[in-house]
Amino acid sequence: MSASETSRLGAFRIEVRDFIRDKLPDDIRETVRSGRLGTAGETQRWQKILHEKGWVAPSWPVELGGVDWTPMQRNIFEEECALADCPPLDPMGLSMIGPLIIARGSQAQKDFYLPRILASEEKWCQGYSEPGSGSDLASLQTRAVADGDDYVVNGTKIWTSGTHAADRIFCLVRTDPDVKKQEGISLLLIDLKTPGISIRPIIGLNEMHFFNQIFFDDVRVPIANRVGEENRGWTYAKEVLGDERLQLSRTGENKRLLRQLKTIAAQEDHGGEKLADQDWFRRKLRRAEVRLKALDYTKLRFLQRAEAGEAIGPEVSMLKLQGSELIQELDEMLLEAVGHYGLPYDKSWMLIPRSELNESPIGSDYAGMLSANRFRHKGYTIAGGSSEVQRTIISKRVLGL
Ligand SMILES: Cc1cc2nc3c(=O)[nH]c(=O)nc-3n(C[C@H](O)[C@H](O)[C@H](O)COP(=O)(O)OP(=O)(O)OC[C@H]3O[C@@H](n4cnc5c(N)ncnc54)[C@H](O)[C@@H]3O)c2cc1C
């Protein structure tokens, strides 16, 4: 990278940092800093602030309401947001279906959906997985049969995150059962209020309602709601998954967690000596730091390739694999640092500010949230393609084994 490019990106980083410092509301910053789950209202409020600034859709073209930042700029923006305790933006509309509609949607779809996503007026969820079709997603069975101007959809989707708070779902459905399984799939945009749709909550072990199962019984969806060509949905979905994996390296989130670990290690006393001064812990910390540096540089190499207009291939899987596994390693180190204070879990700690709780978590401020976040992070090595699947992709499609 040239010296002028480096200084341009440096100035951009400062601009982003200053904006967040001035505009991120203190209550929202505190929610994220303390490790609580933000409310939908908090995320929406932050998205509206970014929308007013014109920064809510970093990857979208300017003429469609985006910023058209380069991949390097987007990376800086995401990292600064994570380090400054901004709530993560809702990825379903802004990073997943929005870019897909931009790339493959009709003009009518762009005119209708994109402004609503930008203004946080409508929330989306993703209907890909089915019972029996997760890792082997192409085997999905939800069927869409053309009938006049509509498709009639029957089947079920599972593990759909946030459906209970969403307005619409983008769904992979089978439109041709008689061809190779990847070639008979289409992508539909479905209003969740359409008759024939029912939603069953799935309550997690952590007592939180995050997942759902959706049932489609003779649901009529206009053919005009199909994105792109019939039977090309698998190809379109893969395009978005590739972009998702670039983002799922979670370098900002990892850096934030590492910073927290260092702060805690400097405070926690084990056997009369600060943890940060003990060799065994320092060695672990250094190893995690080296892994994070390697991840960061690998990501930067991918970003430079993306900036040069090169297509990113299946090797991008290594970012998702390393980033999600590193977060879990840092979680285990945090647990070692706080010991048994990191084990209790109470759902209300995730939702209610500490000052308003009847009964506070035991131990230090940071220990109470540890179990909750540690369990939440377990999902990182499953969602968007499990670690085992990423390793298979790397061994087969990258290393040719
Ligand atoms: C936090 C979270 C959010 C999610 N949100 C959504 C959502 O919004 N919308 C949606 O559609 N889905 C969502 N999912 C579902 C997710 O995409 C699936 O869980 C994932 O694809 C794995 O599928 P599965 O659960 O059916 O597991 P399976 O595919 O049954 O896998 C079970 C185990 O077997 C392993 N395995 C499977 N195949 C192989 C193989 N060939 N070689 C080696 N090991 C293998 C897997 O790695 C895993 O450990 C979410 C999941 C999580 C955890």
Side-chain angles (χ1 to χ4, degrees):
M1 195 186 302
S2 69
S4 70
E5 182 62 1
T6 307
S7 92
R8 194 180 66 80
L9 289 176
F12 175 72
R13 189 181 284 277
I14 291 168
E15 185 189 354
V16 172
R17 200 172 284 173
D18 288 349
F19 174 79
I20 296 172
R21 189 197 52 226
D22 295 343
K23 298 291 182 188
L24 177 65
D26 287 341
D27 59 322
I28 300 181
R29 190 193 307 271
E30 180 48 27
T31 297
V32 179
R33 191 205 59 76
S34 65
R36 285 197 311 277
L37 286 180
T39 61
E42 284 175 325
T43 305
Q44 203 176 25
R45 200 149 38 103
W46 176 231
Q47 283 192 194
K48 280 187 189 294
I49 292 168
L50 288 173
H51 183 40
E52 276 165 27
K53 173 78 175 164
W55 282 4
V56 79
S59 66
W60 295 18
V62 174
E63 63 277 15
L64 292 175
V67 200
D68 220 356
W69 279 333
T70 63
M72 284 289 189
Q73 283 177 302
R74 266 184 264 157
N75 181 51
I76 289 173
F77 179 71
E78 277 160 26
E79 215 169 89
E80 288 300 319
C81 283
L83 287 168
D85 300 321
C86 299
L89 301 184
D90 173 23
M92 295 291 177
L94 291 166
S95 312
M96 299 181 81
I97 191 61
L100 221 152
I101 291 173
I102 290 169
R104 303 289 179 182
S106 65
Q107 193 55 48
Q109 288 169 349
K110 289 178 191 168
D111 293 343
F112 185 79
Y113 297 115
L114 299 182
R116 289 169 167 78
I117 294 174
L118 285 173
S120 312
E121 280 169 9
E122 286 188 347
K123 277 174 72 83
W124 285 83
C125 62
Q126 181 197 51
Y128 285 7
S129 308
E130 295 179 6
S133 300
S135 301
D136 181 18
L137 186 58
S139 66
L140 61 90
Q141 298 294 323
T142 294
R143 190 80 169 89
V145 178
D147 179 32
D149 291 338
D150 297 332
Y151 284 113
V152 179
V153 179
N154 280 288
T156 180
K157 295 286 174 183
I158 199 165
W159 309 125
T160 54
S161 314
T163 304
H164 48 297
D167 304 285
R168 298 179 191 277
I169 182 166
F170 54 99
C171 254
L172 287 178
V173 292
R174 186 155 302 284
T175 34
D176 188 344
D178 298 323
V179 290
K180 198 175 148 208
K181 57 186 178 180
Q182 287 84 353
E183 289 167 9
I185 293 171
S186 300
L187 194 125
L188 298 184
L189 309 174
I190 306 179
D191 184 336
L192 283 166
K193 289 189 290 299
T194 315
I197 293 182
S198 49
I199 300 171
R200 185 173 70 89
I202 300 176
I203 307 299
L205 274 176
N206 59 0
E207 299 168 37
M208 305 289 276
H209 180 191
F210 180 68
F211 295 118
N212 302 274
Q213 181 167 10
I214 310 184
F215 299 89
F216 298 87
D217 292 306
D218 288 332
V219 175
R220 295 195 80 86
V221 180
I223 288 179
N225 283 20
R226 189 188 67 224
V227 177
E229 293 172 37
E230 191 173 67
N231 298 329
R232 298 271 295 151
W234 182 254
T235 310
Y236 303 153
K238 272 206 314 197
E239 288 168 2
V240 175
L241 269 184
D243 193 44
E244 196 189 347
R245 273 176 202 149
L246 199 55
Q247 294 171 28
L248 290 181
S249 58
R250 300 182 188 275
T251 46
E253 212 174 333
N254 268 301
K255 285 179 187 178
R256 190 164 150 266
L257 216 54
L258 185 70
R259 186 178 65 188
Q260 189 191 10
L261 180 60
K262 283 180 175 176
T263 311
I264 292 173
Q267 290 172 29
E268 287 288 326
D269 215 298
H270 283 216
E273 197 183 3
K274 291 280 182 258
L275 202 54
D277 297 327
Q278 300 189 20
D279 278 348
W280 71 273
F281 197 81
R282 278 221 307 258
R283 259 198 305 277
K284 281 188 151 194
L285 201 60
R286 292 284 170 268
R287 199 175 56 215
E289 271 181 314
V290 169
R291 276 188 70 186
L292 180 49
K293 267 255 161 352
L295 175 66
D296 211 13
Y297 282 116
T298 310
K299 181 179 186 182
L300 289 174
R301 276 203 301 274
F302 273 104
L303 292 170
Q304 274 189 324
R305 282 176 51 193
E307 273 197 17
E310 251 183 74
I312 305 292
E315 63 277 19
V316 74
S317 283
M318 70 176 86
L319 294 183
K320 198 262 168 181
L321 176 67
Q322 288 294 328
S324 53
E325 294 200 342
L326 183 55
I327 287 207
Q328 294 177 354
E329 185 178 318
L330 291 171
D331 276 336
E332 295 311 309
M333 289 173 70
L334 279 165
L335 186 63
E336 275 184 299
V338 302
H340 50 268
Y341 288 122
L343 292 177
Y345 170 78
D346 185 324
K347 176 185 164 188
S348 59
W349 303 344
M350 291 287 280
L351 304 170
I352 305 170
R354 196 179 171 104
S355 57
E356 294 169 23
L357 286 171
N358 288 334
E359 220 174 313
S360 287
I362 52 164
S364 43
D365 241 4
Y366 43 78
M369 300 308 297
L370 212 73
S371 267
N373 286 318
R374 187 163 152 260
F375 291 131
R376 190 165 56 86
H377 293 161
K378 293 283 181 206
Y380 287 7
T381 46
I382 303 172
S386 70
S387 285
E388 290 79 8
V389 168
Q390 306 303 323
R391 285 196 168 85
T392 304
I393 292 172
I394 293 167
S395 64
K396 280 197 180 154
R397 295 179 52 202
V398 182
L399 303 175
L401 298 175

